[in-house]
Amino acid sequence: SLPVALSRSKNSPPPAIPASDLRIDTYRAGGAGGQHVNTTDSAVRITHIPTGLQAASQNQRSQHQNKALALEVLAARIAAQESATRMAASSAARRRQIGGAGAGERSDKIRTYNYSQGRVTDHRAPGAAVTGGAL
């Protein structure tokens, strides 16, 4: 027998992040770039306050471009975390429906058919081996 679990499929759009949940820090980028890097706060670090997830960007020359890139990365990280949470809940629900660990294993069998010896064994009743196939 094969255990079957029923689940609903939910395709949700990426989460909209309210501005009140974000802390945006700007700072000077490091690395090559000369005087421009030393005088401009173009690097951006965005923190999602409820989850504590962070995304930083200092790849672009403009603060606006870095902010957009960091927001994109942060939204992807939040979506991945929510997806992992949904998968864990779905997996737990599936395990509850099937019967937990060990469901569908060989020990869960009800009958064994031994055709070469013409024997059927019913494992629900102790010591019930029936020959001839009639229970």
Side-chain angles (χ1 to χ4, degrees), residues 1-131:
S1 70
L2 239 145
V4 177
L6 303 175
S7 64
R8 282 184 269 154
S9 165
K10 291 183 181 178
N11 294 332
S12 59
I17 306 169
S20 61
D21 288 352
L22 300 177
R23 183 177 68 231
I24 300 174
D25 303 321
T26 58
Y27 56 97
R28 292 196 171 95
Q35 185 176 0
H36 178 75
V37 171
N38 297 333
T39 58
T40 310
D41 289 342
S42 61
V44 176
R45 180 187 314 113
I46 302 177
T47 305
H48 187 242
I49 296 168
T51 61
L53 292 174
Q54 289 185 347
S57 176
Q58 61 181 16
N59 298 337
Q60 305 298 325
R61 194 170 166 90
S62 162
Q63 186 184 94
H64 299 293
Q65 292 172 339
N66 283 330
K67 182 178 177 182
L69 188 62
L71 275 172
E72 231 176 89
V73 170
L74 185 64
R77 288 181 183 168
I78 291 171
Q81 186 180 39
E82 287 178 358
S83 174
T85 303
R86 276 195 312 271
M87 290 292 284
S90 170
S91 179
R94 189 179 318 112
R95 265 190 241 105
R96 277 194 307 274
Q97 285 181 1
I98 292 174
E105 291 188 10
R106 290 179 61 125
S107 62
D108 293 340
K109 63 188 172 185
I110 296 173
R111 285 189 199 94
T112 301
Y113 297 94
N114 190 332
Y115 293 112
S116 62
Q117 297 177 4
R119 184 181 62 199
V120 177
T121 305
D122 189 358
H123 298 285
R124 294 175 293 182
V130 180
T131 52

